Amino acid sequence: MKIGIITYHFAQNYGSVLQCYALQEYLKNIGYSVEIINFVSDKQEINNSLSNGLKGKIRSLLFFPINKKRKIKYNKFLSFRKEYLLETKKVSNLKDLKKLVDLKKYDYIISGSDQVFNPNINDFDLSFVFPFETSAKKIAYAASLGNAKEKELKILKKYLIDFNKISLRESGDKDVFEESTGLETDIVCDPVFLLSKNKWIEILNHIEDNYKINGRYLLCYFIHKDYMRKSIKVAKKIAKEKKLKIVFINAGYNFNSLKRDTIVDCGPCDFLKLFQNAEYICTDSFHGTSFSTILNKNFTCVDSKSNLTDKRRLSLLDKLALEHRYVYVENDNISLNDIDFTKTNSIIENYSNESKDFLSL
């Protein structure tokens, strides 16, 4: 069985590349021949470039003091893809994508995971929904709608009709998707949950620790700029009570990136290692929340009451019976008790097994 996967593997985003790796590894481990379809549009190339485009040039000027570390991070992502992802040759447009799919003679082509059904994000391209005829069966695995609603989904409907199977990642998206498209869907876990905690630890044991941090630390991984200052305030409160130093993983570049306690040159492997070694984690990221639970780390997931459309993390925590770790930055009711992961680990195992049934092709 030969499978091609299309997703946001090219993004300089930890969750994007790690979920891609996890899906590849799970399918490979159960005996399928798997490749990552190396689709990178010109727009994606510019969006993820260090210096191309107006935004890239402005970032290079603003963050001149850390440009060397930005380059190191960029190269670490390239190295991760080269070492861990089984990529095809690069294609950048729909015509060449179809040619590649036909040439490879895939039995199945999978779109997902991540926000492959969200036309509102900068990197979206219709190529993620395979808008062409092919002998390969089309599947969507753990697709996320992000903030896409009925209007955007109706546009995608005509391209999704010939999909063999469709699954979404967030349970709260099921009704709006089915009502907007008339298509049935299953709810499955993000690919990072397809690999067990023991499997991730096995992977981590082969990863070098590039940041030997002295002492116990609280790890911050924040991606939402609009309320980052308030998120940092929450993290500092927790760190003070827990008597922990604070370490930041830089996600998107902002003035917090220039602080001494921010790790700017962190690659995907470093990201995992920092999570593994943290005493406590504070994050506003879906995949930051995911790895906190997989690795059984005490954590707080922060959000803002002003963030009305993105319910991905709340949906995940509800599923894992960890909704009490979800905190609005406008509130002070933070649960600092150690988490008993017994029930959550059982839920993850069952959820993962159900999702694996969907991938029985």
Side-chain angles (χ1 to χ4, degrees):
M1 189 82 71
K2 192 172 183 180
I3 299 172
I5 300 169
I6 192 169
T7 186
Y8 291 103
H9 73 291
F10 180 76
Q12 298 286 301
N13 178 291
Y14 303 106
S16 294
V17 296
L18 290 170
Q19 63 82 18
C20 176
Y21 168 74
L23 182 57
Q24 169 194 279
E25 288 303 287
Y26 171 70
L27 292 172
K28 190 176 72 171
N29 290 341
I30 61 174
Y32 296 139
S33 173
V34 187
E35 291 179 331
I36 306 302
I37 298 173
N38 193 13
F39 174 82
V40 185
S41 69
D42 292 341
K43 185 176 183 181
Q44 285 178 315
E45 189 89 56
I46 293 172
N47 286 343
N48 290 281
S49 169
L50 283 174
S51 57
N52 286 343
L54 180 59
K55 286 185 178 180
K57 288 180 171 61
I58 292 173
R59 277 196 297 265
S60 291
L61 289 172
L62 288 174
F63 302 108
F64 178 78
I66 58 170
N67 275 346
K68 184 176 180 180
K69 289 187 175 182
R70 291 176 66 225
K71 182 68 173 177
I72 291 172
K73 175 184 175 181
Y74 185 85
N75 287 332
K76 282 181 177 180
F77 271 85
L78 292 182
S79 296
F80 181 89
R81 289 172 51 201
K82 184 176 181 180
E83 182 175 354
Y84 291 97
L85 300 185
L86 305 171
E87 295 179 339
T88 66
K89 71 174 185 179
K90 182 179 171 182
V91 290
S92 59
N93 57 62
L94 189 55
K95 181 180 178 182
D96 288 344
L97 172 63
K98 185 183 185 315
K99 283 183 180 178
L100 177 70
V101 169
D102 290 341
L103 177 68
K104 291 288 186 175
K105 296 182 179 178
Y106 294 119
D107 296 292
Y108 289 89
I109 45 178
I110 297 178
S111 177
S113 179
D114 231 330
Q115 297 185 61
V116 290
F117 283 3
N118 185 6
N120 295 326
I121 61 176
N122 283 333
D123 282 359
F124 179 79
D125 191 282
L126 276 179
S127 297
F128 290 114
V129 291
F130 305 122
F132 50 78
E133 291 185 4
T134 173
S135 60
K137 293 180 180 178
K138 302 176 184 178
I139 289 177
Y141 180 78
S144 179
L145 309 186
N147 62 359
K149 298 301 178 186
E150 184 177 358
K151 179 182 176 181
E152 293 86 3
L153 294 174
K154 283 185 175 179
I155 294 172
L156 295 183
K157 176 182 177 179
K158 63 181 178 181
Y159 304 115
L160 298 175
I161 288 175
D162 64 347
F163 270 57
N164 189 252
K165 291 197 292 185
I166 295 174
S167 62
L168 303 179
R169 194 177 65 185
E170 280 76 50
S171 58
D173 289 340
K174 182 178 174 68
D175 288 345
V176 67
F177 180 85
E178 292 186 344
E179 289 171 7
S180 301
T181 65
L183 302 172
E184 292 185 0
T185 184
D186 292 302
I187 302 299
V188 296
C189 66
D190 186 273
V192 298
F193 291 102
L194 294 174
L195 304 184
S196 67
K197 175 187 175 183
N198 288 339
K199 181 62 178 176
W200 280 113
I201 290 175
E202 180 185 329
I203 294 166
L204 281 159
N205 287 340
H206 291 90
I207 292 175
E208 185 178 353
D209 186 356
N210 291 319
Y211 305 101
K212 294 179 174 60
I213 299 166
N214 292 323
R216 298 157 63 243
Y217 65 91
L218 180 151
L219 182 67
C220 291
Y221 177 54
F222 300 132
I223 62 175
H224 291 279
K225 296 178 184 177
D226 294 343
Y227 54 93
M228 186 175 292
R229 186 174 297 177
K230 292 180 180 179
S231 298
I232 293 172
K233 186 177 178 181
V234 170
K236 286 181 175 179
K237 179 180 179 180
I238 298 171
K240 184 178 180 180
E241 292 197 31
K242 293 282 186 180
K243 296 181 173 56
L244 303 172
K245 67 172 66 177
I246 293 184
V247 175
F248 291 91
I249 294 179
N250 186 74
Y253 293 101
N254 53 66
F255 289 108
N256 195 59
S257 308
L258 302 173
K259 293 182 179 179
R260 283 197 314 171
D261 50 8
T262 299
I263 298 177
V264 179
D265 56 358
C266 175
C269 290
D270 300 322
F271 175 89
L272 289 173
K273 204 71 178 178
L274 286 164
F275 268 72
Q276 181 188 35
N277 294 335
E279 185 75 18
Y280 199 100
I281 294 163
C282 198
T283 185
D284 63 0
S285 149
F286 177 88
H287 283 107
T289 305
S290 298
F291 281 109
S292 297
T293 59
I294 290 169
L295 297 173
N296 287 185
K297 293 292 178 176
N298 286 311
F299 73 97
T300 294
C301 176
V302 295
D303 200 353
S304 171
K305 291 180 179 179
S306 63
N307 186 24
L308 301 176
T309 57
D310 187 356
K311 299 299 181 184
R312 291 174 295 160
R313 287 161 288 147
L314 183 56
S315 176
L316 173 65
L317 292 175
D318 281 342
K319 177 70 178 180
L320 302 183
L322 290 171
E323 60 277 0
H324 60 289
R325 309 306 289 201
Y326 184 85
V327 172
Y328 288 114
V329 291
E330 294 86 357
N331 294 343
D332 291 321
N333 55 332
I334 305 170
S335 174
L336 295 178
N337 296 329
D338 287 350
I339 301 171
D340 181 355
F341 279 98
T342 305
K343 181 178 180 180
T344 296
N345 288 337
S346 177
I347 293 171
I348 290 174
E349 183 178 5
N350 292 334
Y351 195 21
S352 178
N353 288 336
E354 291 169 2
S355 303
K356 289 172 182 177
D357 288 341
F358 179 88
L359 288 169
S360 298
L361 307 177

